[in-house]
Structures are given as structure tokens and as C-alpha cells.
Amino acid sequence: MTKTGPALAALAVSAFAIGTTEFVIAGLLPELATDLGVSIPSAGLLVSGYAMGVVIGAPLVTVAVSRLPRKQALLGLLVLFVAGNVTSAVAQGFGVMLLGRVLAALCHGAFLGVGSLAAAEMAGAQRRARAIAAMFTGLTLSTVVGVPMGTFIGQHWGWRVTFWAVAGLGVAGMAGIAALAPPMRALASSNDTAVFRRPQLWLALAMTALGFGAVYAPYTFIAPIMTTLAGYAPADLSWLLIVFGVGLVLGNWLGARAADWRLMGTIIVLLLALTALLLVFAALPSVVTLFALGVVAFATVPAFTSRVIATGGGTTQASSAAVAAFNLGNASGAYLAGLAVTADGYTATSWVGAAMAVGGLGRVSDAA
């Protein structure tokens, strides 16, 4: 087990690349739209197309790699990820660009699902949530470092350079996993999909979608919330998002340790805290409440993921379904918040989030 730390670091580098390619597109939409000859709203399909690729690809691609040992599966998924980003980097038209985005997204859910199981296997049962959090640290750091850096690179040297850089990170992750990860058992047994007959697994997935979707309801509209409601200048958004990202990293670290100590108790406390915090954020959006929201938001990630893995019997399908549930929550939270903005303005987005968090608590009650 001497290589566990470096192997987890290789998983984190890969997760960093995946998180960067998912979120950096928002900062590059104007440049992409101009170069590809489409409108900015049409270019927005590169965001939603990626999200749908994650939701659909997580279970399907996981089935495709389900007979492979975990290390080989991770390497194969990163080949797909690199291919998707290279396709985006060389795309001369919108259709090819969208194809590259979808290819990269197909890797996303399966990699994080398989990677969560690999991290848990390497670390052992007593440190499972902390090992998962170590991998997801790469995902959280991508919001603090990768996205701003990728946007800066794209705005100064062209968006294609950004995608080449992300592809390079994918290659680095592959090299690290190949050299440092120990041999691991095959992913699945013949009964891998039978776990979806378990009601407790579906309750855990619903709790994950509702609980994390609660965060994305206000986060989707964080720019107008912080400028229109909180009174910050548009130029302040960059450092405000960095503060939020630091909160995500801290929350991921704290939530992992709490989940390893007492999983269901941690989930209940976090969902209660999230509900209360969203109501406070609705009344008083500020840098302090934004930071606190970031902490609580990502403290839920290792807890939700560990709960899904536990109820799914440690299967790859269940772990990948957790990633799909997170992304389904993101999409539904953003959609419901958009309806709320139309009806009642930006403050209502936090009310939607609080309602979703209460819904997540209801699923905990059902699971008890």
C-alpha cells in the first residue's frame, strides 16, 4: 500500500482534467461561437450536450468496461477522454466540436465511478470516504485553478490551446495511473446490474440528486445574484468564485472525515445545514454566505458517494450511477431555478434549492 498516496494523486490529476474540461467551456463561449460561426445560445449546446453525455454515458460506458480490471478500465476511459479533447481542439465546425464534447463526457461519469471504487479499494474500508475525497479534490481544484487558468489561456492564446492543455493533463493522469496504481480486481460480477433492484440504492440516488441539485439552483445564477442582489461589481466575480472554490475544497476535506466517522448522521446534518444556509443566502447574499455555501455543498460529495457505494454493494454500476445522479441534480436544479427566476426573480433560486434539500432529507427519512 506504499503507493496509495501517489496513485490517489494520479486519480486526482485525472479528475482535475475532467472538471476543467466540463466547466471551462462557459468562459470560452464567445470565442467559440465566433470561430465556429454560431450564436452564443447555440454554442451553449456544448454545455448541455456535455451534461447529457455524462448522464447517459455513465451507465452505458460502465457496462462496456465492466469486465475489465479497474486499472485497465481507468486507462481505457482516459484514452476516450484524451480523444474527445483532441477532437475539440482540432474541430473546424460546430458539429465536430460537439462530437468532441460528447466523447469527453462519456468518460466523465464512468471514470469518476470506477475511480471512486478504485480509491476505496486502495485505501480500505476505514479510510474509504477520505480516499474518494482525495480523488474528488482534483475536481474541486479544477473550479479554483483549472477553469480560471483555462479561460485565461483561451482568451490569450486561443481556445484550441486550452483543449490541447486539457488533453495533456489527461495523458499525465494516464501515465500516473499506469505507473503508480496497484493491480486491482475486475469491476463486476454477472449480477452487477442486479443492485438496481434495491430500493435503498434508488433512495440514495434520489437523495444525491436532490441534495446536490439544491446547490446548483442558486449557483447557476450566481453572477446576477452577486451583482444585482448583493451589490458587487462585475469585476468582483472572479475572486468571488475563487472564494467559493476554496470553500468547495475545504468542504470536501471536512465532509470526508465526518462521513468516515458517521455516514448517515453526517448526511442529515449537512442537508439540514444546507437548507438553513440557502434560506440565509436568499436573504443575505455575501462573500461570507457564498463561502459557507461552498463548504457545505462539497462536504456532501464524499458522503453521498459513500452512501451510494454502500447501498449498491460496491458495484461499478452503482458508483457510476452516483455520478449521473449528481449531474441530473445539476440539470434539474438549474432548470427549476430558471423557472423561479422568471416568476419571482433571483432570490427565488435559493428557495428552490432549500426545497430540494428538504426533499433530500425526505429520502434520508425513507431510507432510515
Side-chain angles (χ1 to χ4, degrees):
M1 300 299 291
T2 57
K3 290 187 177 181
T4 297
L8 290 175
L11 289 175
V13 169
S14 304
F16 179 89
I18 289 171
T20 299
T21 206
E22 178 181 13
F23 297 116
V24 76
I25 197 77
L28 300 175
L29 277 185
E31 291 82 4
L32 281 162
T34 299
D35 285 358
L36 299 176
V38 298
S39 65
I40 290 179
S42 295
L45 291 173
L46 299 173
V47 178
S48 56
Y50 188 97
M52 290 307 299
V54 174
V55 173
I56 296 171
L60 295 181
V61 176
T62 300
V63 168
V65 300
S66 63
R67 301 300 175 190
L68 296 175
R70 287 172 180 164
K71 181 173 180 177
Q72 283 71 20
L74 290 169
L75 293 173
L77 289 167
L78 284 175
V79 169
L80 183 63
F81 173 80
V82 171
N85 281 281
V86 170
T87 300
S88 294
V90 301
Q92 297 299 314
F94 181 77
V96 176
M97 181 69 185
L98 183 59
L99 173 64
R101 292 289 290 165
V102 171
L103 282 176
L106 291 176
C107 155
H108 183 129
F111 183 89
L112 295 181
V114 176
S116 294
L117 292 174
E121 180 179 335
M122 286 188 287
Q126 296 303 313
R127 299 177 63 85
R128 179 172 62 189
R130 271 173 278 190
I132 293 170
M135 183 189 72
F136 275 95
T137 295
L139 202 63
T140 57
L141 284 176
S142 71
T143 66
V144 182
V145 179
V147 172
M149 184 177 296
T151 301
F152 179 86
I153 290 171
Q155 290 174 342
H156 287 78
W157 295 289
W159 57 268
R160 297 181 191 278
V161 179
T162 297
F163 285 99
W164 280 116
V166 172
L169 285 172
V171 172
M174 287 174 60
I177 291 170
L180 300 170
M184 287 174 275
R185 60 188 175 89
L187 293 175
S189 70
S190 59
N191 295 319
D192 198 29
T193 58
V195 296
F196 290 108
R197 300 192 189 104
R198 301 180 182 180
Q200 297 289 58
L201 173 59
W202 286 105
L203 289 171
L205 292 170
M207 176 182 64
T208 298
L210 288 166
F212 205 70
V215 177
Y216 258 72
Y219 181 71
T220 301
F221 298 94
I222 199 65
I225 288 173
M226 298 308 291
T227 55
T228 304
L229 300 182
Y232 290 94
D236 293 326
L237 286 174
S238 294
W239 68 263
L240 285 170
L241 289 175
I242 290 175
V243 168
F244 180 77
V246 171
L248 298 181
V249 175
L250 178 60
N252 186 52
W253 186 84
L254 292 173
R257 279 146 184 80
D260 274 338
W261 172 59
R262 186 169 294 174
L263 179 57
M264 293 306 293
T266 294
I267 290 174
I268 292 170
V269 169
L270 288 173
L271 285 172
L272 286 170
L274 184 58
T275 303
L277 184 56
L278 284 164
L279 293 174
V280 172
F281 189 70
L284 187 63
S286 69
V287 64
V288 175
T289 50
L290 181 66
F291 173 76
L293 187 60
V295 172
V296 176
F298 248 66
T300 65
V301 172
F304 287 155
T305 305
S306 292
R307 177 60 179 170
V308 171
I309 289 175
T311 57
T315 63
T316 309
Q317 284 286 23
S319 184
S320 294
V323 180
F326 278 114
N327 280 272
L328 182 61
N330 295 350
S332 59
Y335 174 75
L336 292 173
L339 296 179
V341 168
T342 302
D344 293 305
Y346 295 115
T347 299
T349 62
S350 294
W351 300 341
V352 169
M356 293 182 75
V358 170
L361 274 170
R363 303 292 74 74
V364 174
S365 176
D366 291 341

